[in-house]
Amino acid sequence: MEVERVSRAQRWTAAAFFCFSFVISGFLAQAQSDYQPSPDNLKARQWFQDAKFGLFIHWGVYSVLGDGEWVFHNRKLTLDEYNQLPKFFDPEKFDAKTWVALAKAAGMKYITITSRHHDGFAMFDSKVSDWNIVKRTPYGKDPLKMLADEAHRQGIKLFFYYSQLDWHNPDYYPRGATSWDNGRPNHGDWNAYLDDYMDGQLRELLTNYGPIAGIWFDGMWDKPDADWHLAKTYALIHQLQPAALIIPNHHQTPKPGEDVQTFERDLPGQNTAGFNTKVVSQLPLEECNTLNDSWGFTIADNHYKSPEEVEQMLVRAAGNNANLLLNIGPMPNGEIQEEFVTRLHAVGEWLSRYGESIYGTRGGPIAPADWGVTTQKTDKIYVHVLHWNAKLLALPAISSTIHSAKLLSDGSNVDFSQREDGVVLTLPDAKPAEADRVVVLMR
Ligand code: FHN
């Protein structure tokens, strides 16, 4: 009888607890599905759209092997093998000041760095687990702290990339599409992984590094049908730092609580890379791409894009109303390869002359086409001629009256005629290696 009473009481407690958790999680989910970005968040979105150009940095212990950030997976290494890697990671040449100065010299307004990639290795001082740079490497310091301090000092914003996919933690279970048998047990606590481990680390990142511009998530595509407790995680981020932007690289249409839509190696709406959605939302947009072909340091990759290619990529992104987040993978000693440095300086030099037509603009009134794109700002339309050899360029109709047309490079007049059905520009010849002929139309 007594036993029966206790078990009935336990059942009631369990039911009450279940209802309570249901209401709480429902409340949090609701909180993000009714997500109203805070005024600070809306301001940050404006800033983000004005900023246009950021430096993506993939840096982790994998750089020691010089074979990209997927080396753990690609070589099907075991946990025991990969656990040796941090012992060889001693970036004595890392200098936060130089990294930040390089981004600034390139005309970039923000840096997005891997706080941890799919190997789960925290490149920061984490108390949640000792699988981190301070505890496991001879270096023993927190480069993200140095970078954050320096970014704040030099006035550039810092985002943290955070991989939700984890090839190392046993609690990342059930495992996802990219898993292999690396020695992890065949059980684990998914809820603990998300609520304690991941949210714990995010709390550290948003508490110990000053104002953070946002969190750039990656890896949800490994388990597309899993419950990622997004509402809870997103609410935590927005509560800790309301201005922090959530940028998820899940390759799907944006979900409630997200602040920016990002596209990998593609312009918004394109899917040449094979995994992006073609749906373009009303959120601020970003394209991420690489300066060579790799994300993490890859010794055999010398497919560097030329400054002109990068400039055109940036212009096409801006004309599609998007930012460009351009990646480099620093070396294991903490230095950035000369090939990256020279190209970034060249792009920065170009931006010092043409930046007016990029920063602070939005996509222009004419749809992007093979010949080029347009951007706009107040009473100016910038026509970016990227790929056009003929003398005359006929543009579709523009609703406002054009009062003048001038070359941005030297202010010289460009002949034009406006009719109801379009505007015809008489273009000057392109100069050798000229990435972009920019014609400024005053309306
Ligand atoms: O698997 C990652 C990859 O290593 C890299 O981090 C890129 C950057 O956008 N994202 C993933 C692939 O979608």
PDB file of all heavy atoms in Angstrom, residues 129-157:
ATOM      1  N   SER A 129      35.749  21.992 -20.462  1.00  0.00           N
ATOM      2  CA  SER A 129      36.484  20.765 -20.780  1.00  0.00           C
ATOM      3  C   SER A 129      37.956  21.131 -20.934  1.00  0.00           C
ATOM      4  O   SER A 129      38.285  22.280 -21.246  1.00  0.00           O
ATOM      5  CB  SER A 129      35.942  20.189 -22.090  1.00  0.00           C
ATOM      6  OG  SER A 129      36.972  19.629 -22.852  1.00  0.00           O
ATOM      7  N   ASP A 130      38.840  20.158 -20.706  1.00  0.00           N
ATOM      8  CA  ASP A 130      40.261  20.490 -20.857  1.00  0.00           C
ATOM      9  C   ASP A 130      40.748  20.263 -22.296  1.00  0.00           C
ATOM     10  O   ASP A 130      41.932  20.377 -22.576  1.00  0.00           O
ATOM     11  CB  ASP A 130      41.115  19.697 -19.855  1.00  0.00           C
ATOM     12  CG  ASP A 130      41.203  18.228 -20.228  1.00  0.00           C
ATOM     13  OD1 ASP A 130      40.433  17.771 -21.109  1.00  0.00           O
ATOM     14  OD2 ASP A 130      42.042  17.508 -19.635  1.00  0.00           O
ATOM     15  N   TRP A 131      39.836  19.919 -23.183  1.00  0.00           N
ATOM     16  CA  TRP A 131      40.185  19.766 -24.597  1.00  0.00           C
ATOM     17  C   TRP A 131      40.308  21.176 -25.187  1.00  0.00           C
ATOM     18  O   TRP A 131      39.482  21.636 -25.965  1.00  0.00           O
ATOM     19  CB  TRP A 131      39.096  18.923 -25.293  1.00  0.00           C
ATOM     20  CG  TRP A 131      39.309  18.567 -26.743  1.00  0.00           C
ATOM     21  CD1 TRP A 131      38.409  18.758 -27.756  1.00  0.00           C
ATOM     22  CD2 TRP A 131      40.436  17.920 -27.362  1.00  0.00           C
ATOM     23  NE1 TRP A 131      38.909  18.291 -28.951  1.00  0.00           N
ATOM     24  CE2 TRP A 131      40.162  17.769 -28.732  1.00  0.00           C
ATOM     25  CE3 TRP A 131      41.678  17.468 -26.881  1.00  0.00           C
ATOM     26  CZ2 TRP A 131      41.049  17.184 -29.637  1.00  0.00           C
ATOM     27  CZ3 TRP A 131      42.575  16.886 -27.788  1.00  0.00           C
ATOM     28  CH2 TRP A 131      42.255  16.747 -29.144  1.00  0.00           C
ATOM     29  N   ASN A 132      41.338  21.891 -24.721  1.00  0.00           N
ATOM     30  CA  ASN A 132      41.477  23.287 -25.153  1.00  0.00           C
ATOM     31  C   ASN A 132      42.948  23.691 -25.197  1.00  0.00           C
ATOM     32  O   ASN A 132      43.824  23.019 -24.643  1.00  0.00           O
ATOM     33  CB  ASN A 132      40.652  24.208 -24.244  1.00  0.00           C
ATOM     34  CG  ASN A 132      41.264  24.360 -22.862  1.00  0.00           C
ATOM     35  OD1 ASN A 132      42.382  24.870 -22.717  1.00  0.00           O
ATOM     36  ND2 ASN A 132      40.552  23.921 -21.837  1.00  0.00           N
ATOM     37  N   ILE A 133      43.183  24.800 -25.840  1.00  0.00           N
ATOM     38  CA  ILE A 133      44.544  25.252 -26.147  1.00  0.00           C
ATOM     39  C   ILE A 133      45.372  25.541 -24.886  1.00  0.00           C
ATOM     40  O   ILE A 133      46.570  25.277 -24.852  1.00  0.00           O
ATOM     41  CB  ILE A 133      44.490  26.486 -27.083  1.00  0.00           C
ATOM     42  CG1 ILE A 133      45.888  26.893 -27.547  1.00  0.00           C
ATOM     43  CG2 ILE A 133      43.764  27.662 -26.462  1.00  0.00           C
ATOM     44  CD1 ILE A 133      45.899  27.806 -28.752  1.00  0.00           C
ATOM     45  N   VAL A 134      44.736  26.042 -23.846  1.00  0.00           N
ATOM     46  CA  VAL A 134      45.490  26.392 -22.634  1.00  0.00           C
ATOM     47  C   VAL A 134      45.966  25.129 -21.921  1.00  0.00           C
ATOM     48  O   VAL A 134      47.103  25.058 -21.462  1.00  0.00           O
ATOM     49  CB  VAL A 134      44.636  27.280 -21.698  1.00  0.00           C
ATOM     50  CG1 VAL A 134      45.381  27.574 -20.405  1.00  0.00           C
ATOM     51  CG2 VAL A 134      44.258  28.575 -22.412  1.00  0.00           C
ATOM     52  N   LYS A 135      45.098  24.134 -21.904  1.00  0.00           N
ATOM     53  CA  LYS A 135      45.419  22.918 -21.131  1.00  0.00           C
ATOM     54  C   LYS A 135      46.254  21.904 -21.924  1.00  0.00           C
ATOM     55  O   LYS A 135      47.044  21.174 -21.341  1.00  0.00           O
ATOM     56  CB  LYS A 135      44.126  22.224 -20.690  1.00  0.00           C
ATOM     57  CG  LYS A 135      43.310  23.026 -19.706  1.00  0.00           C
ATOM     58  CD  LYS A 135      43.841  22.805 -18.284  1.00  0.00           C
ATOM     59  CE  LYS A 135      43.482  23.912 -17.320  1.00  0.00           C
ATOM     60  NZ  LYS A 135      42.190  24.508 -17.462  1.00  0.00           N
ATOM     61  N   ARG A 136      46.069  21.852 -23.236  1.00  0.00           N
ATOM     62  CA  ARG A 136      46.664  20.722 -23.970  1.00  0.00           C
ATOM     63  C   ARG A 136      47.880  21.059 -24.834  1.00  0.00           C
ATOM     64  O   ARG A 136      48.476  20.151 -25.398  1.00  0.00           O
ATOM     65  CB  ARG A 136      45.598  20.093 -24.884  1.00  0.00           C
ATOM     66  CG  ARG A 136      44.416  19.476 -24.165  1.00  0.00           C
ATOM     67  CD  ARG A 136      44.776  18.103 -23.589  1.00  0.00           C
ATOM     68  NE  ARG A 136      43.601  17.462 -23.037  1.00  0.00           N
ATOM     69  CZ  ARG A 136      43.072  16.336 -23.500  1.00  0.00           C
ATOM     70  NH1 ARG A 136      43.594  15.725 -24.535  1.00  0.00           N
ATOM     71  NH2 ARG A 136      42.000  15.814 -22.917  1.00  0.00           N
ATOM     72  N   THR A 137      48.187  22.352 -24.988  1.00  0.00           N
ATOM     73  CA  THR A 137      49.307  22.665 -25.891  1.00  0.00           C
ATOM     74  C   THR A 137      50.482  23.255 -25.112  1.00  0.00           C
ATOM     75  O   THR A 137      50.282  23.848 -24.042  1.00  0.00           O
ATOM     76  CB  THR A 137      48.892  23.702 -26.980  1.00  0.00           C
ATOM     77  OG1 THR A 137      48.696  24.975 -26.333  1.00  0.00           O
ATOM     78  CG2 THR A 137      47.631  23.292 -27.693  1.00  0.00           C
ATOM     79  N   PRO A 138      51.680  23.158 -25.668  1.00  0.00           N
ATOM     80  CA  PRO A 138      52.823  23.797 -25.004  1.00  0.00           C
ATOM     81  C   PRO A 138      52.675  25.317 -24.988  1.00  0.00           C
ATOM     82  O   PRO A 138      53.272  25.994 -24.157  1.00  0.00           O
ATOM     83  CB  PRO A 138      54.026  23.369 -25.861  1.00  0.00           C
ATOM     84  CG  PRO A 138      53.464  22.819 -27.122  1.00  0.00           C
ATOM     85  CD  PRO A 138      52.055  22.395 -26.862  1.00  0.00           C
ATOM     86  N   TYR A 139      51.868  25.834 -25.877  1.00  0.00           N
ATOM     87  CA  TYR A 139      51.654  27.285 -25.951  1.00  0.00           C
ATOM     88  C   TYR A 139      51.010  27.777 -24.658  1.00  0.00           C
ATOM     89  O   TYR A 139      51.446  28.766 -24.057  1.00  0.00           O
ATOM     90  CB  TYR A 139      50.769  27.576 -27.165  1.00  0.00           C
ATOM     91  CG  TYR A 139      50.568  29.036 -27.460  1.00  0.00           C
ATOM     92  CD1 TYR A 139      51.649  29.871 -27.765  1.00  0.00           C
ATOM     93  CD2 TYR A 139      49.291  29.602 -27.445  1.00  0.00           C
ATOM     94  CE1 TYR A 139      51.453  31.211 -28.048  1.00  0.00           C
ATOM     95  CE2 TYR A 139      49.092  30.940 -27.727  1.00  0.00           C
ATOM     96  CZ  TYR A 139      50.177  31.738 -28.033  1.00  0.00           C
ATOM     97  OH  TYR A 139      49.987  33.061 -28.304  1.00  0.00           O
ATOM     98  N   GLY A 140      49.933  27.106 -24.256  1.00  0.00           N
ATOM     99  CA  GLY A 140      49.342  27.360 -22.941  1.00  0.00           C
ATOM    100  C   GLY A 140      48.660  28.706 -22.755  1.00  0.00           C
ATOM    101  O   GLY A 140      48.356  29.078 -21.621  1.00  0.00           O
ATOM    102  N   LYS A 141      48.447  29.444 -23.845  1.00  0.00           N
ATOM    103  CA  LYS A 141      47.795  30.761 -23.696  1.00  0.00           C
ATOM    104  C   LYS A 141      46.493  30.789 -24.505  1.00  0.00           C
ATOM    105  O   LYS A 141      46.227  29.897 -25.307  1.00  0.00           O
ATOM    106  CB  LYS A 141      48.741  31.859 -24.195  1.00  0.00           C
ATOM    107  CG  LYS A 141      49.871  32.149 -23.225  1.00  0.00           C
ATOM    108  CD  LYS A 141      50.854  33.163 -23.775  1.00  0.00           C
ATOM    109  CE  LYS A 141      51.908  32.472 -24.629  1.00  0.00           C
ATOM    110  NZ  LYS A 141      53.044  33.209 -25.032  1.00  0.00           N
ATOM    111  N   ASP A 142      45.722  31.845 -24.314  1.00  0.00           N
ATOM    112  CA  ASP A 142      44.425  31.976 -24.981  1.00  0.00           C
ATOM    113  C   ASP A 142      44.516  33.018 -26.103  1.00  0.00           C
ATOM    114  O   ASP A 142      44.436  34.224 -25.840  1.00  0.00           O
ATOM    115  CB  ASP A 142      43.380  32.406 -23.937  1.00  0.00           C
ATOM    116  CG  ASP A 142      41.986  32.550 -24.532  1.00  0.00           C
ATOM    117  OD1 ASP A 142      41.857  32.588 -25.772  1.00  0.00           O
ATOM    118  OD2 ASP A 142      41.016  32.634 -23.756  1.00  0.00           O
ATOM    119  N   PRO A 143      44.693  32.578 -27.351  1.00  0.00           N
ATOM    120  CA  PRO A 143      44.871  33.559 -28.429  1.00  0.00           C
ATOM    121  C   PRO A 143      43.591  34.358 -28.704  1.00  0.00           C
ATOM    122  O   PRO A 143      43.658  35.483 -29.199  1.00  0.00           O
ATOM    123  CB  PRO A 143      45.233  32.693 -29.649  1.00  0.00           C
ATOM    124  CG  PRO A 143      44.734  31.331 -29.334  1.00  0.00           C
ATOM    125  CD  PRO A 143      44.723  31.199 -27.848  1.00  0.00           C
ATOM    126  N   LEU A 144      42.433  33.774 -28.379  1.00  0.00           N
ATOM    127  CA  LEU A 144      41.197  34.512 -28.651  1.00  0.00           C
ATOM    128  C   LEU A 144      41.055  35.710 -27.716  1.00  0.00           C
ATOM    129  O   LEU A 144      40.482  36.736 -28.083  1.00  0.00           O
ATOM    130  CB  LEU A 144      39.973  33.605 -28.536  1.00  0.00           C
ATOM    131  CG  LEU A 144      39.889  32.439 -29.530  1.00  0.00           C
ATOM    132  CD1 LEU A 144      38.474  31.904 -29.586  1.00  0.00           C
ATOM    133  CD2 LEU A 144      40.352  32.832 -30.924  1.00  0.00           C
ATOM    134  N   LYS A 145      41.597  35.557 -26.517  1.00  0.00           N
ATOM    135  CA  LYS A 145      41.557  36.684 -25.581  1.00  0.00           C
ATOM    136  C   LYS A 145      42.441  37.809 -26.120  1.00  0.00           C
ATOM    137  O   LYS A 145      42.060  38.978 -26.132  1.00  0.00           O
ATOM    138  CB  LYS A 145      42.054  36.198 -24.203  1.00  0.00           C
ATOM    139  CG  LYS A 145      42.077  37.248 -23.148  1.00  0.00           C
ATOM    140  CD  LYS A 145      40.665  37.617 -22.690  1.00  0.00           C
ATOM    141  CE  LYS A 145      40.713  38.688 -21.617  1.00  0.00           C
ATOM    142  NZ  LYS A 145      39.853  39.828 -21.917  1.00  0.00           N
ATOM    143  N   MET A 146      43.633  37.420 -26.608  1.00  0.00           N
ATOM    144  CA  MET A 146      44.547  38.438 -27.143  1.00  0.00           C
ATOM    145  C   MET A 146      43.935  39.109 -28.368  1.00  0.00           C
ATOM    146  O   MET A 146      44.029  40.310 -28.561  1.00  0.00           O
ATOM    147  CB  MET A 146      45.884  37.794 -27.524  1.00  0.00           C
ATOM    148  CG  MET A 146      46.630  37.213 -26.329  1.00  0.00           C
ATOM    149  SD  MET A 146      48.194  36.493 -26.869  1.00  0.00           S
ATOM    150  CE  MET A 146      48.067  34.854 -26.230  1.00  0.00           C
ATOM    151  N   LEU A 147      43.286  38.276 -29.189  1.00  0.00           N
ATOM    152  CA  LEU A 147      42.674  38.817 -30.406  1.00  0.00           C
ATOM    153  C   LEU A 147      41.509  39.743 -30.056  1.00  0.00           C
ATOM    154  O   LEU A 147      41.356  40.814 -30.663  1.00  0.00           O
ATOM    155  CB  LEU A 147      42.184  37.652 -31.282  1.00  0.00           C
ATOM    156  CG  LEU A 147      41.953  37.984 -32.743  1.00  0.00           C
ATOM    157  CD1 LEU A 147      43.259  38.347 -33.437  1.00  0.00           C
ATOM    158  CD2 LEU A 147      41.323  36.787 -33.462  1.00  0.00           C
ATOM    159  N   ALA A 148      40.702  39.331 -29.090  1.00  0.00           N
ATOM    160  CA  ALA A 148      39.548  40.158 -28.703  1.00  0.00           C
ATOM    161  C   ALA A 148      40.041  41.501 -28.150  1.00  0.00           C
ATOM    162  O   ALA A 148      39.531  42.562 -28.540  1.00  0.00           O
ATOM    163  CB  ALA A 148      38.710  39.426 -27.664  1.00  0.00           C
ATOM    164  N   ASP A 149      41.038  41.452 -27.285  1.00  0.00           N
ATOM    165  CA  ASP A 149      41.553  42.698 -26.705  1.00  0.00           C
ATOM    166  C   ASP A 149      42.090  43.613 -27.804  1.00  0.00           C
ATOM    167  O   ASP A 149      41.853  44.815 -27.818  1.00  0.00           O
ATOM    168  CB  ASP A 149      42.667  42.401 -25.694  1.00  0.00           C
ATOM    169  CG  ASP A 149      42.110  41.754 -24.431  1.00  0.00           C
ATOM    170  OD1 ASP A 149      40.870  41.756 -24.242  1.00  0.00           O
ATOM    171  OD2 ASP A 149      42.909  41.222 -23.625  1.00  0.00           O
ATOM    172  N   GLU A 150      42.820  43.003 -28.735  1.00  0.00           N
ATOM    173  CA  GLU A 150      43.425  43.790 -29.799  1.00  0.00           C
ATOM    174  C   GLU A 150      42.354  44.330 -30.766  1.00  0.00           C
ATOM    175  O   GLU A 150      42.442  45.463 -31.240  1.00  0.00           O
ATOM    176  CB  GLU A 150      44.441  42.911 -30.555  1.00  0.00           C
ATOM    177  CG  GLU A 150      45.366  43.663 -31.451  1.00  0.00           C
ATOM    178  CD  GLU A 150      46.138  44.791 -30.764  1.00  0.00           C
ATOM    179  OE1 GLU A 150      46.591  44.601 -29.616  1.00  0.00           O
ATOM    180  OE2 GLU A 150      46.270  45.867 -31.385  1.00  0.00           O
ATOM    181  N   ALA A 151      41.357  43.512 -31.042  1.00  0.00           N
ATOM    182  CA  ALA A 151      40.267  43.952 -31.936  1.00  0.00           C
ATOM    183  C   ALA A 151      39.557  45.145 -31.300  1.00  0.00           C
ATOM    184  O   ALA A 151      39.258  46.141 -31.978  1.00  0.00           O
ATOM    185  CB  ALA A 151      39.289  42.807 -32.173  1.00  0.00           C
ATOM    186  N   HIS A 152      39.309  45.066 -30.002  1.00  0.00           N
ATOM    187  CA  HIS A 152      38.658  46.192 -29.331  1.00  0.00           C
ATOM    188  C   HIS A 152      39.547  47.428 -29.394  1.00  0.00           C
ATOM    189  O   HIS A 152      39.080  48.529 -29.643  1.00  0.00           O
ATOM    190  CB  HIS A 152      38.329  45.829 -27.876  1.00  0.00           C
ATOM    191  CG  HIS A 152      37.294  44.737 -27.770  1.00  0.00           C
ATOM    192  ND1 HIS A 152      37.390  43.686 -26.885  1.00  0.00           N
ATOM    193  CD2 HIS A 152      36.155  44.523 -28.469  1.00  0.00           C
ATOM    194  CE1 HIS A 152      36.344  42.883 -27.044  1.00  0.00           C
ATOM    195  NE2 HIS A 152      35.593  43.364 -27.999  1.00  0.00           N
ATOM    196  N   ARG A 153      40.868  47.202 -29.189  1.00  0.00           N
ATOM    197  CA  ARG A 153      41.804  48.333 -29.221  1.00  0.00           C
ATOM    198  C   ARG A 153      41.840  48.988 -30.603  1.00  0.00           C
ATOM    199  O   ARG A 153      41.826  50.194 -30.731  1.00  0.00           O
ATOM    200  CB  ARG A 153      43.214  47.834 -28.873  1.00  0.00           C
ATOM    201  CG  ARG A 153      43.856  48.654 -27.792  1.00  0.00           C
ATOM    202  CD  ARG A 153      45.299  48.291 -27.484  1.00  0.00           C
ATOM    203  NE  ARG A 153      45.638  46.893 -27.542  1.00  0.00           N
ATOM    204  CZ  ARG A 153      45.611  46.047 -26.512  1.00  0.00           C
ATOM    205  NH1 ARG A 153      45.216  46.478 -25.331  1.00  0.00           N
ATOM    206  NH2 ARG A 153      45.961  44.792 -26.648  1.00  0.00           N
ATOM    207  N   GLN A 154      41.859  48.167 -31.658  1.00  0.00           N
ATOM    208  CA  GLN A 154      41.998  48.728 -33.008  1.00  0.00           C
ATOM    209  C   GLN A 154      40.639  49.025 -33.656  1.00  0.00           C
ATOM    210  O   GLN A 154      40.571  49.383 -34.833  1.00  0.00           O
ATOM    211  CB  GLN A 154      42.804  47.773 -33.894  1.00  0.00           C
ATOM    212  CG  GLN A 154      44.260  47.637 -33.477  1.00  0.00           C
ATOM    213  CD  GLN A 154      45.119  46.995 -34.562  1.00  0.00           C
ATOM    214  OE1 GLN A 154      44.960  47.260 -35.751  1.00  0.00           O
ATOM    215  NE2 GLN A 154      46.038  46.132 -34.161  1.00  0.00           N
ATOM    216  N   GLY A 155      39.552  48.802 -32.923  1.00  0.00           N
ATOM    217  CA  GLY A 155      38.234  49.190 -33.447  1.00  0.00           C
ATOM    218  C   GLY A 155      37.747  48.322 -34.591  1.00  0.00           C
ATOM    219  O   GLY A 155      37.291  48.824 -35.622  1.00  0.00           O
ATOM    220  N   ILE A 156      37.878  47.024 -34.446  1.00  0.00           N
ATOM    221  CA  ILE A 156      37.339  46.109 -35.459  1.00  0.00           C
ATOM    222  C   ILE A 156      36.497  45.090 -34.688  1.00  0.00           C
ATOM    223  O   ILE A 156      36.811  44.758 -33.547  1.00  0.00           O
ATOM    224  CB  ILE A 156      38.489  45.462 -36.266  1.00  0.00           C
ATOM    225  CG1 ILE A 156      37.981  44.816 -37.547  1.00  0.00           C
ATOM    226  CG2 ILE A 156      39.288  44.482 -35.449  1.00  0.00           C
ATOM    227  CD1 ILE A 156      39.104  44.488 -38.530  1.00  0.00           C
ATOM    228  N   LYS A 157      35.408  44.628 -35.284  1.00  0.00           N
ATOM    229  CA  LYS A 157      34.516  43.734 -34.522  1.00  0.00           C
ATOM    230  C   LYS A 157      34.954  42.277 -34.671  1.00  0.00           C
ATOM    231  O   LYS A 157      35.529  41.893 -35.689  1.00  0.00           O
ATOM    232  CB  LYS A 157      33.082  43.899 -35.010  1.00  0.00           C
ATOM    233  CG  LYS A 157      32.616  45.333 -34.848  1.00  0.00           C
ATOM    234  CD  LYS A 157      31.246  45.411 -34.259  1.00  0.00           C
ATOM    235  CE  LYS A 157      30.795  46.851 -34.277  1.00  0.00           C
ATOM    236  NZ  LYS A 157      29.941  47.211 -33.181  1.00  0.00           N
TER     237      LYS A 157
END
